[in-house]
Amino acid sequence: MLFSHDTEHALQIVVDLVNTGPPATATEHLPDLAALQEFVDRNLLSDAHDLDAGDLTATRGLRDRFHEVFRTAEDKETAVRRINAIIAEARTSPHLTDHDGYDWHVHFFAPGARLAEHLAAEGGIAIAYVLAADELDRLRVCEAPDCSRVLVDLSRNRCRRYCDSRTCGNRMHVAAYRARQRESATG
């Protein structure tokens, strides 16, 4: 399933957001407003400015709710209920825009929305597209035994297993190779 560029971008923002939290990394990566601003800048979030302590608190709360979709959605109906609740609480106001050198595209957050509403609307709608396409299995947790980070598998053949091929993926492939080498040396 191929999703639009905007949907894929929103999904990657949700992944980055979830992976800033202690459940995913055992460390709080949004400890303060400076870190929140870095998150906004890193993800090229438009119309997200004048951040305050309320934005930090609301964004962390939203992060935990998105994390639940990845980690504990027992089935599609559970995931749908969670995403619908996130979207329902966000001020959504779909509108066309062509900012920052990008051609016309749809934003789902209301103009002037606070950061958490922006993330809830854009990320919630993106995950809703995944669910509507019956692609819930693309929302995953890294399969490395010592990693709890999340990922969205956008590969054509749905084969992505690790949050990062250079770290977890490489580490797991090296471990498997060494295990095969030990087995062949003893066998």
Side-chain angles (χ1 to χ4, degrees):
M1 178 80 195
L2 295 176
F3 296 102
S4 72
H5 168 75
D6 292 340
T7 299
E8 289 184 11
H9 182 244
L11 290 168
Q12 292 307 323
I13 292 169
V14 170
V15 165
D16 189 24
L17 177 63
V18 170
N19 288 335
T20 65
T25 63
T27 305
E28 177 59 71
H29 292 281
L30 291 179
D32 54 31
L33 286 174
L36 185 61
Q37 186 63 57
E38 287 175 25
F39 169 82
V40 166
D41 295 343
R42 178 174 66 244
N43 287 288
L44 305 174
L45 293 170
S46 62
D47 202 24
H49 45 76
D50 301 325
L51 301 175
D52 61 26
D55 291 309
L56 182 61
T57 300
T59 300
R60 285 180 182 162
L62 176 64
R63 172 186 67 193
D64 295 342
R65 294 176 72 193
F66 276 136
H67 192 244
E68 289 295 311
V69 174
F70 282 86
R71 301 244 344 131
T72 61
E74 298 80 30
D75 54 42
K76 186 175 181 180
E77 288 74 28
T78 302
V80 166
R81 278 193 307 276
R82 288 181 173 148
I83 287 301
N84 279 343
I86 289 170
I87 294 169
E89 293 170 19
R91 288 186 306 144
T92 59
S93 178
H95 60 281
L96 284 167
T97 184
D98 68 340
H99 61 87
D100 299 331
Y102 293 102
D103 202 1
W104 291 104
H105 59 283
V106 178
H107 279 192
F108 292 96
F109 60 93
R114 300 305 303 177
L115 179 60
E117 288 178 317
H118 175 145
L119 294 168
E122 296 289 318
I125 295 292
I127 292 176
Y129 284 141
V130 171
L131 296 172
D134 202 24
E135 301 281 350
L136 179 61
D137 62 332
R138 290 187 182 272
L139 306 179
R140 300 187 180 161
V141 177
C142 182
E143 290 184 19
D146 58 343
C147 185
S148 297
R149 294 171 59 92
V150 301
L151 63 112
V152 176
D153 180 3
L154 294 174
S155 67
R156 201 173 277 186
N157 61 358
R158 300 172 189 213
C159 65
R160 187 168 171 204
R161 298 170 48 202
Y162 306 110
C163 63
D164 187 340
S165 61
R166 293 172 308 219
T167 56
C168 289
N170 188 50
R171 191 174 65 248
M172 296 308 297
H173 289 112
V174 168
Y177 171 78
R178 289 180 179 160
R180 286 191 306 272
Q181 293 301 312
R182 281 191 303 274
E183 186 177 298
S184 67
T186 61

